[in-house]
Amino acid sequence: VTVSNFFLAPKNLDFTYFEGILGTQIFESEQDTLEIDFYDSWVNGDVFFESPSVTINIQNSFGFPATALVEVFDVMTIDNGLLTLESPFVETGFEFNYPSFEEVGEIKPTAFTFDQANSNIASIISAKPTAIVYDIDAIPTPNVDIAGFITDSSYFAYSIDAEFPFFGAARDFSVSDTMDIDLSRYEDAKSIELKSVILNSIPLGTTVQGYFLDDENAVLDSLFNDPQQLIEPAQVDNDGSVVETSEAITFLD
């Protein structure tokens, strides 16, 4: 008897290897967050990044063609805003590599990058991001009747990397932080010397000012009458890439 269609619903099935046309079941993942700490101490000003990008790194050992579906890709900003990544590849997804029948047991990597050529990532990054919230699922490529395989150790995994090349300009950009100190043991001291050690891995020189605050955060005094440029730019090569972090050691009475 030839039947037009049928399905099999086995119970307690254990396997090491399946081969055939395996359908379009979605492989779902959990939503995750990538924290961005660049603006943690931000006070004011703007920074312009040259060619920002976010790369999705996929590891896949399922032996069939599939598409990565971007279910969530939102950027949280310092003013509590939420911006959504826009790209044709968010709408349609993108295919990723998979092992062939001759590569059973191997893991095939894929690196897919969202940049300013295929998305609105540049405008999103300029809005001072603090975190990227993402969720990416995988689905066997629909409408393609290609035989594939699954083993008992097959898996799909991914991670994301955000890259903001600091090549461009900064305008009136400043950061600030506060440190508690206890000088109660030194009430008889006639003077104090502070040792400042500053490391800089950004190719920009900046000025420094410090303030002494009381318990009510009122300013008692400052380190300098005017801000001083204590931080020298990091050293760069001919391509503008940082090759050595600068260090500034200063003693202050």
Side-chain angles (χ1 to χ4, degrees), residues 196 198 200 202-210 223-234 246-252:
S196 167
I198 302 176
N200 181 25
I202 296 176
L204 293 175
T206 62
T207 58
V208 175
Q209 178 62 288
L223 281 179
F224 312 104
N225 292 329
D226 297 304
Q228 302 292 311
Q229 180 168 333
L230 299 184
I231 307 178
E232 295 298 324
S246 66
E247 180 181 47
I249 300 177
T250 309
F251 293 92
L252 307 167

Side-chain angles (χ1 to χ4, degrees), residues 157-228:
Y158 72 94
S159 63
I160 69 170
D161 294 322
E163 182 175 341
F164 310 145
F166 200 80
F167 181 81
R171 181 181 62 226
D172 298 328
F173 185 82
S174 61
V175 296
S176 175
D177 203 356
T178 304
M179 179 183 67
D180 294 328
I181 57 174
D182 181 9
L183 302 178
S184 59
R185 293 182 297 168
Y186 309 105
E187 294 179 352
D188 296 330
K190 298 296 189 292
S191 65
I192 292 178
E193 182 182 64
L194 299 180
K195 179 182 179 181
S196 167
V197 180
I198 302 176
L199 302 177
N200 181 25
S201 59
I202 296 176
L204 293 175
T206 62
T207 58
V208 175
Q209 178 62 288
Y211 298 96
F212 297 95
L213 311 178
D214 63 15
D215 291 339
E216 304 299 326
N217 289 326
V219 177
L220 300 175
D221 201 352
S222 61
L223 281 179
F224 312 104
N225 292 329
D226 297 304
Q228 302 292 311

Side-chain angles (χ1 to χ4, degrees), residues 32-217:
D32 205 349
T33 301
L34 174 67
E35 303 288 344
I36 300 173
D37 61 4
F38 183 84
Y39 290 96
D40 282 358
S41 302
W42 175 81
V43 177
N44 62 267
D46 298 312
V47 171
F48 305 96
F49 295 101
E50 182 79 5
S51 302
S53 63
V54 173
T55 298
I56 300 174
N57 305 293
I58 295 177
Q59 302 286 328
N60 175 44
S61 58
F62 288 103
F64 49 79
T67 298
L69 302 176
V70 181
E71 300 292 344
V72 177
F73 199 109
D74 295 328
V75 175
M76 303 172 63
T77 64
I78 198 169
D79 57 358
N80 296 321
L82 192 67
L83 303 176
T84 299
L85 181 72
E86 298 176 359
S87 169
F89 296 101
V90 172
E91 300 174 2
T92 63
F94 58 89
E95 295 183 358
F96 53 90
N97 298 325
Y98 62 96
S100 66
F101 286 111
E102 291 75 30
E103 299 172 318
V104 175
E106 295 188 19
I107 300 170
K108 305 295 284 189
T110 301
F112 183 88
T113 299
F114 288 105
D115 55 27
Q116 56 190 8
N118 62 16
S119 70
N120 65 335
I121 191 69
S123 60
I124 288 179
I125 299 307
S126 66
K128 303 180 180 67
T130 58
I132 298 175
V133 181
Y134 59 94
D135 183 5
I136 299 174
D137 297 336
I139 182 173
T141 305
N143 303 321
V144 177
D145 292 336
I146 298 178
F149 66 84
I150 298 177
T151 73
D152 55 352
S153 61
S154 294
Y155 73 92
F156 164 81
Y158 72 94
S159 63
I160 69 170
D161 294 322
E163 182 175 341
F164 310 145
F166 200 80
F167 181 81
R171 181 181 62 226
D172 298 328
F173 185 82
S174 61
V175 296
S176 175
D177 203 356
T178 304
M179 179 183 67
D180 294 328
I181 57 174
D182 181 9
L183 302 178
S184 59
R185 293 182 297 168
Y186 309 105
E187 294 179 352
D188 296 330
K190 298 296 189 292
S191 65
I192 292 178
E193 182 182 64
L194 299 180
K195 179 182 179 181
S196 167
V197 180
I198 302 176
L199 302 177
N200 181 25
S201 59
I202 296 176
L204 293 175
T206 62
T207 58
V208 175
Q209 178 62 288
Y211 298 96
F212 297 95
L213 311 178
D214 63 15
D215 291 339
E216 304 299 326
N217 289 326

